[in-house]
Amino acid sequence: MSEGRKAGLFLIFVTVFIDLLGFGIVLPLLPRYGEHFEAGGTTLGLLMASFSAMQFLFAPVWGRISDRVGRRPILILGLLGSTFFYGMFGFATSLGKTGMFLGIDALSWLFITRIGAGIAGATIPTAQAYIADITGPKERGKGMALIGAAFGIGFTFGPLIGAAFVSAETGATPSAAPGYVACVLSGMAALLSIFILPESLTKKTTDSLARRHHWFDITSFRHALTQPRIGLILLAIFLTTFAFAQFESTLSLLTQELGFAARSNFFIFAYIGFILTLSQGFLVRRLIPRLGEYRMGLFGIVLMVIGLLLIGVAGNSGSYTMLYAVLPISVIGFSATTPSLQSLLSLNTSDAEQGGILGVGQSISALARILGPLAGIILFKGTKGDLITGSITAPYWVGAGIMLLGLILMTILKSGSTDTESEPEISSPAET
């Protein structure tokens, strides 16, 4: 890979990382903030799902627009939007339970800010397309793993930063400071993208893609799903993300049941982020060229099944020590599965459709992140009137069952695979 392309990968990594610091600050707080503002199980599930609902709608839009106008302008627009809505999130949490602004209560403002942040944050497929623009087929899996590494590092340092701005006392009133900190960090990423990040598309390529693509409609989904291998890969992405989203959205509530204060809750999310960083930034990026996308994805799914089952056992036992011990299993599994499936999706897509198909892939992930938290929180807390009785372990048992279906899908995908599993590739000492 040329030095210019390496520099482009580094810059897109840094830009996404800084923005995801803000995401890593807000996510661990959201379920607890929703409960503080007296959101019931279904309402809390909808609040958690609202961000991903907007990603589901807007990810293909941003992907296709980036095929027309370039990746850089869309990334800048998304970062500026995140800056504004994280700031509004901080303001909304400062209103208190009975506070109002422009005739709207604090819980409604939380919904508004998450919807806005979801629209702005739907540019991850654009970052993925940026990587696809500057990497070859053999480098694609490692390149896609950079996005996962950015998530991992963001989830490590975001919660650590957030922990400095919340109370160490159980049941303390939520602080507005984390939202403002997230706002500043996203603003820094926006400035970086404005002044340093280069465009990855040439004018010739942009003109070609603009002639081939149109604005978002159901045809883009139909086109993707009617291609057998792409359809199977998208379904595997959906199941994997749905299962992990149940775990992710209920973890704050599980730690609350186990007696974790807000600061301790941040630390456990930082622990997860650290595992993500090590697994995707080092382990997965080195193993994908050797094992291939299919074997790495299969390995990850097996780990997710085992890990989710053990989290359920930890919840039943009420042991936070056991929870810390078993969390790495499912997290490493997800780290291995996600870039493998993303790379398979990219490798089975023509160059002219990268932005659009990766946008559909992100929308499928977002759909899973809409339904996963809603299902997970309802399974955890139950519903009003006890139509569904909650259980603190149900989301993890269900998630493990879903991942068993993922194993079947990966077996089907192996037939006629376009996986890049030829000769083992030995990385040079300089490659990370």
Side-chain angles (χ1 to χ4, degrees):
M1 183 184 295
S2 69
E3 291 301 318
R5 290 185 174 187
K6 286 183 179 179
L9 280 175
F10 175 75
L11 286 171
I12 197 69
F13 167 78
V14 171
T15 302
V16 173
F17 157 64
I18 295 175
D19 186 43
L20 289 171
L21 281 174
F23 186 77
I25 289 171
V26 170
L27 181 65
L29 294 170
L30 195 56
R32 294 188 177 200
Y33 277 30
E35 280 205 327
H36 174 77
F37 290 108
E38 301 179 347
T42 302
T43 303
L44 183 56
L46 290 171
L47 177 62
M48 293 293 294
S50 59
F51 181 93
S52 295
M54 294 302 102
Q55 289 198 320
F56 173 73
L57 293 174
F58 282 87
V61 176
W62 294 139
R64 290 187 178 277
I65 294 175
S66 77
D67 286 342
R68 287 174 171 264
V69 303
R71 316 300 185 199
R72 182 174 173 273
I74 300 306
L75 291 170
I76 291 172
L77 182 63
L79 290 167
L80 290 174
S82 294
T83 302
F84 175 77
F85 285 108
Y86 281 139
M88 286 299 298
F89 178 86
F91 176 73
T93 55
S94 72
L95 294 175
K97 288 184 180 181
T98 59
M100 305 278 285
F101 179 65
L102 300 178
I104 301 173
D105 62 36
L107 183 58
S108 298
W109 274 113
L110 287 185
F111 270 97
I112 292 169
T113 59
R114 294 309 290 161
I115 288 169
I119 294 171
T123 54
I124 292 299
T126 305
Q128 292 173 334
Y130 188 107
I131 290 172
D133 293 337
I134 61 175
T135 58
K138 290 185 177 180
E139 302 162 337
R140 192 71 47 80
K142 292 197 296 182
M144 292 299 178
L146 278 176
I147 298 294
F151 268 99
I153 300 175
F155 262 74
T156 302
F157 291 98
L160 288 176
I161 293 169
F165 297 92
V166 295
S167 174
E169 297 179 6
T170 303
T173 302
S175 168
Y180 294 133
V181 173
C183 167
V184 171
L185 290 170
S186 289
M188 291 171 58
L191 291 174
L192 180 66
S193 63
I194 290 169
F195 292 107
I196 299 179
L197 187 68
E199 178 55 64
S200 63
L201 288 180
T202 64
K203 186 177 187 304
K204 180 180 178 181
T205 306
T206 304
D207 290 343
S208 173
L209 293 174
R211 287 194 297 271
R212 292 169 184 249
H213 290 317
H214 49 78
W215 302 117
F216 168 82
D217 58 44
I218 196 66
T219 304
S220 60
F221 285 93
R222 191 181 300 119
H223 172 65
L225 295 175
T226 53
Q227 301 178 62
R229 287 192 60 77
I230 288 179
L232 286 174
I233 294 167
L234 290 174
L235 182 56
I237 289 171
F238 175 83
L239 293 177
T240 301
T241 309
F242 183 93
F244 197 78
Q246 287 198 135
F247 152 73
E248 186 180 58
S249 61
T250 55
L251 182 60
S252 289
L253 301 177
L254 179 61
T255 59
Q256 190 167 258
E257 289 287 331
L258 297 179
F260 283 58
R263 184 170 295 172
S264 299
N265 182 56
F266 265 127
F267 289 146
I268 202 166
F269 273 87
Y271 174 62
I272 290 171
F274 180 67
I275 298 165
L276 281 169
T277 302
L278 291 180
S279 56
Q280 285 204 343
F282 298 96
L283 181 66
V284 175
R285 289 189 74 228
R286 290 179 181 276
L287 288 180
I288 279 183
R290 292 173 168 82
L291 298 180
E293 282 81 0
Y294 166 76
R295 291 192 186 96
M296 180 60 71
L298 189 63
F299 170 71
I301 288 175
V302 170
L303 286 182
M304 285 187 70
V305 172
I306 296 169
L308 289 170
L309 287 173
L310 290 176
I311 291 170
V313 173
N316 269 337
S317 69
S319 170
Y320 65 84
T321 302
M322 183 178 180
L323 182 63
Y324 265 102
V326 302
L327 277 174
I329 301 172
S330 56
V331 175
I332 291 172
F334 187 69
S335 298
T337 305
T338 301
S340 299
L341 291 173
Q342 288 171 345
S343 183
L344 283 172
L345 183 62
S346 178
L347 290 168
N348 282 273
T349 301
S350 68
D351 291 343
E353 294 181 311
Q354 289 290 326
I357 295 295
L358 288 173
V360 171
Q362 187 68 15
S363 283
I364 292 296
S365 294
L367 179 61
R369 288 187 178 278
I370 295 167
L371 301 178
L374 187 58
I377 289 175
I378 288 174
L379 287 169
F380 191 101
K381 292 178 66 66
T383 59
K384 191 174 182 180
D386 291 330
L387 296 175
I388 298 177
T389 302
S391 165
I392 65 171
T393 57
Y396 316 117
W397 306 136
V398 172
I402 288 169
M403 291 315 301
L404 288 175
L405 296 177
L407 279 175
I408 297 172
L409 274 181
M410 288 300 289
T411 302
I412 297 172
L413 278 171
K414 181 61 176 175
S415 175
S417 176
T418 58
D419 194 359
T420 56
E421 299 181 5
S422 51
E423 293 297 321
E425 193 176 296
I426 307 299
S427 300
S428 68
E431 289 180 10
T432 57

